[in-house]
Amino acid sequence: LLTAISLAVAAIPEALPAVVTISLALGAKKMVKQNALIRKLPAVETLGSVTYICSDKTGTLTLNKMKVEEVYSKNQIFKDFKKDQIEELLIKACAISNDAKKTPNGEVIGDPTEVALYNFSAQLNVFKERLEEIHPRVFEIPFDSDRKCMTTIHRWDNNYISITKGAIEVISEKADSIMLDGEIKQLDREELNKIANRMAKDGLRVIGYGVRFFKELPEERSYEYIEKDLTIIGLVGLMDPPREEVIEAVKICKDAGIIPVMITGDHPLTAYNIAKRIGIIDEYNEKSVITGRELEKLDMAEFEKRVLDIRVYARVAPEQKLKIVKALQDKGQFVAMTGDGVNDAPALKRSDIGVAMGITGTDVSKEASHMILLDDNFATIVKAIREGRRIFDNIRKFIKYTMTSNSGEIWTIFLAPFLGLPIPLLPIHILWINLVTDGLPGLALAYEKAEREIMKRPPRHPKESIFAHGLGYHIVWVGLLMGAVSLFSQAWAIKTGHSHWQTMIFTVLCLSQMGHVLAIRSEKDSLFSLGVFSNLPLIFAVLFTFVLQLATIYVPILNRIFKTEPLTAEELIFCLALSSVVFIAVEIEKLIKRHSLSAMQNK
C-alpha cells in the first residue's frame, strides 16, 4: 500500500504549476528590462503563438519626431524655406493653429506634428506667442478621427478667420478655392491631388491648410457650417523617419512566420513609402493597401476574403481596428494589436495580445491591454515574442523532464515483478527521488537560453498539444530506457551477489534523471555545443542533487533513515556508468534529428 501511494505521488508532476508560474514570472521580469511590461501573466507564453502584428505607424514604427521637409505654396514646392517664398498667411496659420507650447527652459512640448509646425514657423521668425497677442484664439473645433481635421477661429483685425488643417483629401473636399501668389482662384482638385501625391510618394505626411473669413464671429459653430467653402492656402509635408531597429525587427518577424501590418491615419502613398522602407511591403497594389473608406464599404465576409493579403491600412479610424482584429481571428490568425487612444481599447481587448503604448498611451488603452511598451517601439514587441517562445520552450522542457522521470519510476516498479525481481525501491526512495529531482533541476530549466533558431520557425498554434513534435514519444521511450537501465542494475547486482542492490538501483534511477535533464537542454543541439556551463543554475542544481544523493549513501544517520548502505568505489563507478546511458541515448536522438533536418534542407 505504501509503495502504491508513493508511486502515485511520484507519478503526479506536482511541481508543474509552481515551475510554470515561476517561469512566467521570471520571463515577465526579463521583459520589463527590455521595455515590455506584462500586465497579464499568461500573455508571456501566449506571445509565442502570434502570427500577425498590427502596428500603429507613428511612434511605434517611426521615431515620432516630426519635421517639416516640404511646403507647397505660391504654386511651387519648396524644400529650403525662406520667408518671402512662402505665403505669409500659411506661415501664420502654422504658428497659431496648434497647441504646442514653449516651456520656460526653451523646450517646445506638445503633439510631435504640432511641435514640427511650431518650429517651422519659428524658423521663419514667426512666433506663436507674439502672434496670439495680435490674433487671439476665440473658438476651437478639436481634431476628430472621423473628420480627420481640426479648426481654430481667431480674431483677424476687425474680422475673424477660421483655420482648418488636416488630411489633404478632406481639406480639398471642404474647399472651393485656392490662394496662389496672393490671389484667390478656382480650386483644381485634380492638380492639387497630383501635388499631394507627389509629396506623399516621398514618404511625407501631407497636411492641408484651408481658411475662411467671417465679418463677425459666427453664431453657429458646428463643424458642418464652419468647415465649408474653404480657401486652401498651402500644403505642408512632414517627415517622421522610421526607427532603424525596426527594419531588422520586421525581417526577424518574417523569418519567424509572423506577418507585420501597418495601420495609420496617413495618406496611402505616405504609408506605403514608410512600409516599403522598413520591409513590410514590396510593391504598391490594390490587394496589399486599403484605406479606411474602402474598409468601411466592405462587409465582414468581403473583408475576410482580402484581409490576409493586406499589409498597409491607411486613413483608418481607430474604431476600424476592431474590424481588422475580428477578420484576422475569423481566418484563424493569432493577433497582436497596438494602440494608444481611448477608441483603441475595444480592439486591444479583443485581440489575442493587446499592446498599449507606455509613453503616448491613455489609461484606458493601458487598462485594456495585455502588455505595455514602455518605449513605444515595435522592435520591443519582437523581443517580447522571442522571450515568449523561449519561456514556452522551457516549460515544455520541464514537462519532458518531469514526465519522463515519472515514467521511468513507474516502469521500474511496474516491470520488476514481471521479470521475477523483488520490488526495487522502498516508498521513501520513491519520494526522495521525486523530491530532489523535480525541484531544483526542473526549476533551473527556466533559466535556459533561447534555442539557436528560435525566430526561424513558424509560430506555434495555440491549440497545439503540449505533447506535439515527438514529446509524448520521447517520454515513453526514454522512460522505458530509464526503467530498463535501473532494472538491469538490480538484476546484475542480485546475480553477482552484491548485497547493496537496492542502494544501487536507487542511485542509478536518481542519477539517470540528472543525465536526462542535461541532455534535454536543447531540442537538437548537443550539450557540448551549447556549453556545459552556459546554464549555471542547472549545473549547480545537478551537482547539489548529486551531493544529496551521495549523502543518503555515505552519511550513517541517513543510511538508517533511507535504508541504504555505503557503496564501494567499484559499485559507485558502475552506477555512474549506467546512469550515463540515458544521457548518451538522448544525445544520439538529437544527432539523428540534426542529420534529418540537414538532409531536408539540402533537398
Side-chain angles (χ1 to χ4, degrees):
L1 177 64
L2 284 175
T3 301
I5 293 171
S6 302
L7 193 60
V9 170
I12 299 169
E14 69 282 347
L16 181 59
V19 170
V20 169
T21 304
I22 292 169
S23 296
L24 295 176
L26 289 172
K29 182 181 178 183
K30 186 174 180 180
M31 284 183 189
V32 81
K33 291 179 180 177
Q34 298 176 338
N35 293 314
L37 175 63
I38 301 297
R39 290 191 64 255
K40 298 172 183 176
L41 203 55
V44 176
E45 176 267 323
T46 310
L47 280 162
S49 297
V50 168
T51 59
Y52 265 77
I53 303 177
C54 298
S55 173
D56 291 326
K57 178 184 78 70
T58 304
T60 308
L61 295 170
T62 61
L63 291 170
N64 202 18
K65 293 180 179 178
M66 293 284 190
K67 183 182 179 184
V68 176
E69 295 284 342
E70 294 181 6
V71 172
Y72 171 71
S73 179
K74 297 183 179 180
N75 210 22
Q76 293 184 60
I77 294 177
F78 297 100
K79 295 187 178 181
D80 296 320
F81 310 129
K82 294 179 181 178
K83 193 173 182 180
D84 59 344
Q85 292 176 330
I86 300 169
E87 189 68 56
E88 184 181 6
L89 184 53
L90 176 61
I91 302 171
K92 289 182 177 180
C94 291
I96 60 174
S97 182
N98 74 65
D99 293 319
K101 294 179 180 178
K102 183 179 279 189
T103 61
N105 62 5
E107 182 186 2
V108 182
I109 58 172
D111 179 85
T113 301
E114 303 211 327
V115 168
L117 296 169
Y118 180 103
N119 289 333
F120 163 70
S121 57
Q123 178 185 340
L124 299 174
N125 294 317
V126 176
F127 298 97
K128 177 186 176 183
E129 292 78 11
R130 295 178 194 169
L131 207 58
E132 280 186 328
E133 294 176 6
I134 305 169
H135 306 296
R137 185 184 301 188
V138 295
F139 185 69
E140 175 183 343
I141 304 174
F143 177 83
D144 182 89
S145 58
D146 292 329
R147 289 171 29 249
K148 294 182 175 60
C149 65
M150 68 165 288
T151 296
T152 56
I153 299 179
H154 304 262
R155 191 182 297 279
W156 203 263
D157 298 329
N158 296 323
N159 301 316
Y160 293 89
I161 186 174
S162 71
I163 303 172
T164 303
K165 70 178 181 188
I168 180 55
E169 61 268 29
V170 173
I171 302 299
S172 176
E173 286 179 2
K174 295 175 181 288
D176 56 13
S177 58
I178 186 168
M179 186 176 287
L180 299 174
D181 292 327
E183 295 181 15
I184 297 176
K185 298 182 180 181
Q186 184 69 30
L187 176 62
D188 184 343
R189 287 189 176 83
E190 188 176 338
E191 182 62 27
L192 186 68
N193 287 334
K194 283 181 182 178
I195 293 163
N197 289 342
R198 145 79 179 78
M199 296 172 73
K201 280 180 181 177
D202 291 337
L204 301 178
R205 181 179 179 185
V206 183
I207 294 178
Y209 275 86
V211 299
R212 183 181 175 190
F213 290 93
F214 299 89
K215 290 184 177 180
E216 295 180 353
L217 187 64
E219 293 183 7
E220 185 180 345
R221 299 180 188 177
S222 66
Y223 73 84
E224 292 94 344
Y225 177 72
I226 300 293
E227 295 172 353
K228 69 176 183 178
D229 302 329
L230 301 179
T231 298
I232 291 177
I233 57 173
L235 309 180
V236 177
L238 302 99
M239 171 59 78
D240 184 11
R243 294 177 181 266
E244 289 184 12
E245 64 272 23
V246 165
I247 297 171
E248 180 61 24
V250 167
K251 184 178 180 299
I252 291 171
C253 276
K254 290 185 172 181
D255 289 342
I258 303 166
I259 297 174
V261 171
M262 176 194 286
I263 300 176
T264 178
D266 284 350
H267 190 283
L269 289 174
T270 305
Y272 161 70
N273 185 284
I274 298 295
K276 187 176 181 181
R277 286 192 196 186
I278 61 180
I280 286 179
I281 193 172
D282 296 322
E283 295 298 330
Y284 188 97
N285 60 69
E286 293 180 357
K287 286 187 176 181
S288 58
V289 180
I290 191 172
T291 65
R293 289 187 180 182
E294 293 171 328
L295 180 57
E296 193 174 356
K297 293 174 184 176
L298 296 175
D299 61 30
M300 188 58 79
E302 290 174 317
F303 180 42
E304 286 178 8
K305 291 177 183 177
R306 291 188 56 186
V307 69
L308 297 182
D309 295 320
I310 299 170
R311 297 293 177 268
V312 175
Y313 293 86
R315 296 295 194 216
V316 172
E319 298 81 12
Q320 292 178 314
K321 286 184 176 181
L322 183 59
K323 186 175 181 179
I324 296 169
V325 170
K326 286 179 179 177
L328 286 170
Q329 289 177 334
D330 288 346
K331 299 297 285 186
Q333 302 301 319
F334 208 74
V335 186
M337 172 66 79
T338 70
D340 55 8
V342 173
N343 293 335
D344 292 327
L348 294 177
K349 197 156 190 170
R350 174 63 188 259
S351 60
D352 300 288
I353 299 290
V355 184
M357 301 297 109
I359 299 173
T360 59
T362 59
D363 289 341
V364 174
S365 65
K366 291 174 183 176
E367 196 66 32
S369 68
H370 303 83
M371 181 173 82
I372 299 172
L373 298 184
L374 301 180
D375 58 357
D376 291 9
N377 193 338
F378 177 86
T380 302
I381 304 175
V382 180
K383 291 177 186 175
I385 289 173
R386 177 186 172 87
E387 186 64 18
R389 290 188 175 193
R390 183 191 74 86
I391 290 164
F392 181 80
D393 282 355
N394 289 346
I395 291 172
R396 198 168 178 271
K397 287 170 189 174
F398 173 76
I399 292 171
K400 178 190 281 190
Y401 165 64
T402 191
M403 295 291 284
T404 304
S405 299
N406 294 354
S407 171
E409 294 165 27
I410 291 168
W411 286 122
T412 301
I413 301 295
F414 179 73
L415 294 177
F418 291 99
L419 299 174
L421 298 170
I423 297 294
L425 300 168
L426 299 173
I428 195 170
H429 295 157
I430 300 170
L431 296 175
W432 171 257
I433 291 172
N434 194 50
L435 175 67
V436 297
T437 60
D438 275 10
L440 289 177
L443 186 58
L445 282 172
Y447 291 91
E448 195 60 50
K449 293 178 181 177
E451 295 273 351
R452 184 161 39 91
E453 296 183 349
I454 195 167
M455 293 302 279
K456 297 282 187 182
R457 65 189 191 212
R460 174 187 60 84
H461 195 283
K463 293 183 180 178
E464 180 183 272
S465 168
I466 193 72
F467 298 105
H469 307 295
L471 179 58
Y473 169 74
H474 178 95
I475 289 170
V476 173
W477 83 261
V478 178
L480 273 170
L481 178 62
M482 204 176 284
V485 169
S486 302
L487 291 173
F488 175 79
S489 67
Q490 180 186 17
W492 179 86
I494 291 173
K495 188 174 182 180
T496 53
H498 288 77
S499 60
H500 310 323
W501 63 266
Q502 196 165 54
T503 303
M504 291 175 71
I505 190 172
F506 175 40
T507 304
V508 168
L509 186 56
C510 181
L511 298 185
S512 289
Q513 295 180 23
M514 295 301 97
H516 182 237
V517 77
L518 290 173
I520 62 164
R521 284 181 53 194
S522 171
E523 287 286 337
K524 59 180 186 294
D525 291 329
S526 147
L527 171 66
F528 305 104
S529 65
L530 290 174
V532 175
F533 299 102
S534 57
N535 185 347
L536 286 176
L538 181 59
I539 296 300
F540 288 138
V542 169
L543 290 174
F544 184 62
T545 302
F546 179 70
V547 169
L548 289 176
Q549 182 62 25
L550 291 183
T552 64
I553 300 172
Y554 294 107
V555 176
I557 192 170
L558 295 179
N559 290 152
R560 293 194 294 272
I561 295 172
F562 288 93
K563 306 295 187 291
T564 54
E565 298 173 350
L567 299 176
T568 64
E570 292 81 5
E571 289 170 337
L572 181 60
I573 292 170
F574 176 75
C575 290
L576 290 172
L578 279 182
S579 301
S580 65
V581 169
V582 171
F583 172 81
I584 294 167
V586 176
E587 286 291 339
I588 292 171
E589 179 194 34
K590 292 193 292 184
L591 178 64
I592 294 168
K593 276 186 181 180
R594 289 198 297 275
H595 280 297
S596 299
L597 282 171
S598 179
M600 286 174 64
Q601 288 170 357
N602 290 334
K603 286 181 181 179

